[in-house]
Amino acid sequence: MNHRLSHPSSVIIVGGGTAGWMCAAYLAKQWGADTQITLIESSQIGTVGVGEGSTPFLKQFFADLGWQEQDWMPDCDATYKTGIEFANWTNSQRFSQYFHPFFTPLDQQTGELFFDSCQQLRSGRANADVKPEHYFCAAEMVRKQVTPQSTKLPGDIDYAYHFDASKLALSLKSFSKKLGVKHREGKVAEVYTDKGNISGLQMEQGDVLNADLYVDCSGFVGLLMKKALNAPFKSYRETLFNDAAVAVPTQHMSNEAIAPQTRSVGMDNGWMWQIPLTSRIGNGYVYSSDFCSADDAEAALRKALNVDDSVPARHLKMQVGRLEQHWQGNCVAIGLAQGFIEPLEATALMLVQYALYQLIEGVGSGKPLASAQQAYNQEMNRMFDGIRDYIAAHYYLNTRTDTAYWQACRHDMKVPENLQYLLDKWDSGACFETALDHLDSELVYLRPSWYCILAGMGRFNHLDANQKVPVHQSSLAHLDKLTAHYFSTQQRPSTW
Ligand SMILES: Cc1cc2nc3c(=O)[nH]c(=O)nc-3n(C[C@H](O)[C@H](O)[C@H](O)COP(=O)(O)OP(=O)(O)OC[C@H]3O[C@@H](n4cnc5c(N)ncnc54)[C@H](O)[C@@H]3O)c2cc1C
């Protein structure tokens, strides 16, 4: 257990969903010819196949693979994403919607103005609304229907993608195979273990496969880590109530411009995503089965989209939480097998990517296995819990009173410690910058995102949430002026 780490000479990845093929492509690229990589997948079992939004971090992944956007975006029906619009998460007209942008270097000017305006409103020194969409370039891109690529903003722009997840897995598969990854179709029938390690995989066809390192990308079932190695799972169910989703695609209206944003719309017992691809719009209702049946969720989604039964719906169950140990013995779990928070901020593939970077770093560190694993597990837990805290804030800050679900999110949630700390500081009028600094080493979402959600959802306790107030026009004018030079106002689709 305490030997020093070096590249494994053989790796078996169990699972050919997006996580499995991301692992195959990245490990093949990093470890190259020194490591024989085999990926096993079972078409009988299939993949989750949803997961159509990303964070800006994914840009780095494609750059690491040496992919240009034109190499993969057209094949995956991909579009650009500059942020997420949230609507119907509150009870008030005044805070009925807001935008959570990805940030660009230009935002440094308007961002400070935004933080300062939030502070003024919070302390009662001002009354005009402070909305993130009036301060950040990403929102201006949505308003003007321009893509990050068609602007001439200085510096590196943070933007993300929407894509067809199944098509992305196929692109990664063909890339991985070109790098020498072996593909084995078939079902793993039994997993053999020996003193906390995997010692072999019995295939349904009868043969047994062995490797130095096993990567569990088998999805929610967690075939290697959860089932065979009995790795403990930490559920987030007391904090995040949603455990199911139903998806129904729709077509774009003709001549409809593709807005470079995801929409997240509050429903009676959860929320609906709307993700524009070039070929269709991906829609889904994420809900809690404690409050809503699958049939009712499907009916509510169809009604919201005005879609009849001729378009089939896809129902999915979600297991919300994470493993306590993500890498133990000779096995590492990545993707849904490792954990899942929920799709609200589209963070799952970001976690896959982050897990891969940490794994490469851990193996390359030359440390003893036990200490590399300890550092890896600690960091992955920090990432998962940090994302959970920010996701939980969306539910806890809701002000809806119309259904038992929304009231339970406010009253029955086990509020994560760091979230409670930040809210206490915000509500009490204490210096919020100091509070953020205090948690700096633990937070995953940083200063702008916390201001966006708190201001966007109207966490200004002394304000009348239904009072009509003027919009802070000067901020919008400032943003307009700032970006005018860089944006073309021509209508363009938000594809590559
Ligand atoms: C409703 C919903 C919405 C989502 N939205 C987003 C989003 O917007 N953005 C985002 O980043 N993520 C999102 N996700 C998460 C995303 O879908 C997953 O992270 C991603 O698809 C990776 O899944 P996976 O590869 O880990 O698992 P899966 O896709 O489930 O793949 C599991 C693989 O394991 C194989 N397998 C299992 N058992 C065996 C066996 N015994 N033998 C052989 N093979 C086996 C299966 O055949 C399959 O190939 C969403 C998830 C859900 C449920």
Side-chain angles (χ1 to χ4, degrees):
M1 189 67 177
N2 266 332
H3 65 270
R4 292 199 172 262
L5 277 165
S6 57
H7 290 182
S9 56
S10 56
V11 176
I12 292 180
I13 300 165
V14 178
T18 322
W21 285 113
M22 279 177 77
C23 290
Y26 193 72
L27 295 181
K29 187 84 183 169
Q30 291 294 320
W31 289 338
D34 296 345
T35 305
Q36 175 60 62
I37 300 172
T38 305
L39 184 144
I40 304 171
E41 67 175 321
S42 161
S43 53
Q44 277 174 58
I45 297 172
T47 65
V48 163
V50 285
E52 297 174 329
S54 82
T55 70
F57 197 44
L58 199 64
K59 260 168 67 184
Q60 182 60 46
F61 184 75
F62 293 127
D64 293 340
L65 295 186
W67 283 14
Q68 305 294 317
E69 291 181 343
Q70 57 270 33
D71 297 336
W72 70 274
M73 286 185 75
D75 291 343
C76 300
D77 305 344
T79 62
Y80 291 110
K81 169 179 174 184
T82 64
I84 306 177
E85 184 195 61
F86 290 87
N88 293 350
W89 284 72
T90 69
N91 205 20
S92 83
Q93 281 196 331
R94 186 170 176 177
F95 301 106
S96 62
Q97 68 83 37
Y98 76 98
F99 188 68
H100 181 199
F102 300 134
F103 305 99
T104 74
L106 259 197
D107 292 331
Q108 276 172 8
Q109 290 181 36
T110 48
E112 290 304 326
L113 195 62
F114 173 63
F115 305 141
D116 187 55
S117 303
C118 287
Q119 297 292 12
Q120 289 191 31
L121 190 56
R122 189 174 151 234
S123 63
R125 282 180 286 134
N127 191 30
D129 268 357
V130 186
K131 291 186 166 278
E133 51 270 35
H134 298 156
Y135 293 84
F136 294 97
C137 293
E140 193 72 352
M141 288 188 225
V142 175
R143 264 193 297 277
K144 295 201 167 143
Q145 299 287 343
V146 292
T147 71
Q149 295 300 46
S150 63
T151 65
K152 298 184 197 78
L153 288 177
D156 254 356
I157 309 179
D158 252 0
Y159 62 85
Y161 306 103
H162 303 122
F163 43 79
D164 181 316
S166 304
K167 290 184 177 174
L168 180 62
L170 283 177
S171 294
L172 289 163
K173 178 177 180 172
S174 89
F175 177 83
S176 306
K177 284 167 92 169
K178 280 186 204 140
L179 290 185
V181 172
K182 281 194 189 160
H183 178 217
R184 172 74 189 262
E185 163 61 40
K187 193 168 163 189
V188 176
E190 189 150 357
V191 181
Y192 298 116
T193 61
D194 179 28
K195 300 187 194 101
N197 288 305
I198 306 284
S199 54
L201 304 178
Q202 166 95 56
M203 300 300 292
E204 206 174 49
Q205 294 97 326
D207 52 331
V208 175
L209 304 181
N210 305 96
D212 292 343
L213 178 71
Y214 295 84
V215 186
D216 186 353
C217 293
S218 62
F220 285 127
V221 65
L223 192 68
L224 309 190
M225 200 64 118
K226 270 189 261 178
K227 276 189 145 177
L229 294 177
N230 295 315
F233 186 78
K234 181 182 161 80
S235 171
Y236 289 154
R237 261 323 280 285
E238 290 178 326
T239 299
L240 298 171
F241 301 157
N242 295 342
D243 61 352
V246 52
V248 174
T250 52
Q251 295 306 312
H252 290 288
M253 312 279 269
S254 54
N255 298 328
E256 182 186 18
I258 297 177
Q261 63 169 358
T262 297
R263 290 196 80 224
S264 161
V265 183
M267 302 279 278
D268 285 353
N269 298 293
W271 60 278
M272 170 175 71
W273 79 76
Q274 292 194 288
I275 293 184
L277 309 185
T278 53
S279 53
R280 61 179 164 84
I281 302 175
N283 312 283
Y285 181 3
V286 178
Y287 62 95
S288 166
S289 62
D290 287 345
F291 292 85
C292 178
S293 71
D295 285 349
D296 288 347
E298 183 179 330
L301 180 63
R302 288 189 185 282
K303 188 167 171 217
L305 299 171
N306 197 17
V307 170
D308 66 23
D309 291 354
S310 61
V311 185
R314 177 127 190 261
H315 286 268
L316 301 129
K317 293 297 285 178
M318 310 187 307
Q319 198 177 61
V320 181
R322 62 159 170 83
L323 293 171
E324 304 265 9
Q325 312 281 320
H326 309 257
W327 181 12
Q328 66 179 53
N330 60 354
C331 183
V332 60
I334 295 185
L336 298 175
Q338 163 180 37
F340 185 51
I341 300 166
E342 73 138 273
L344 190 57
E345 291 277 348
T347 46
L349 297 184
M350 176 174 94
L351 282 161
V352 170
Q353 184 184 350
Y354 194 70
L356 282 166
Y357 291 176
Q358 292 295 309
L359 180 67
I360 293 290
E361 194 182 311
V363 170
S365 68
K367 286 181 185 168
L369 177 64
S371 68
Q373 288 184 331
Q374 191 188 18
Y376 179 89
N377 290 326
Q378 218 171 341
E379 182 55 15
M380 288 315 303
N381 287 342
R382 182 189 76 84
M383 277 299 282
F384 269 86
D385 292 351
I387 294 172
R388 177 210 52 199
D389 294 353
Y390 190 70
I391 301 284
H394 296 74
Y395 295 96
Y396 191 59
L397 293 173
N398 97 80
T399 55
R400 287 179 60 157
T401 50
D402 53 331
T403 66
Y405 168 85
W406 288 107
Q407 297 187 43
C409 289
R410 235 177 8 258
H411 300 303
D412 303 341
M413 172 190 288
K414 181 177 172 202
V415 184
E417 218 175 284
N418 286 348
L419 172 58
Q420 191 64 63
Y421 175 85
L422 288 178
L423 291 180
D424 287 348
K425 295 294 177 194
W426 176 272
D427 292 344
S428 70
C431 175
F432 196 55
E433 299 293 321
T434 309
L436 289 167
D437 283 349
H438 178 71
L439 293 181
D440 190 43
S441 61
E442 288 166 53
L443 294 180
V444 173
Y445 281 85
L446 303 177
R447 184 184 182 215
S449 292
W450 285 103
Y451 275 101
C452 284
I453 193 168
L454 289 160
M457 294 190 74
R459 186 77 175 190
F460 299 110
N461 291 338
H462 61 284
L463 292 185
D464 175 351
N466 286 315
Q467 186 195 349
K468 282 216 172 356
V469 290
V471 165
H472 212 301
Q473 284 302 335
S474 61
S475 58
L476 198 50
H478 189 88
L479 185 60
D480 242 3
K481 203 166 146 203
L482 186 72
T483 54
H485 174 62
Y486 303 106
F487 289 6
S488 149
T489 48
Q490 266 177 6
Q491 294 271 317
R492 290 166 203 254
S494 66
T495 61
W496 72 280

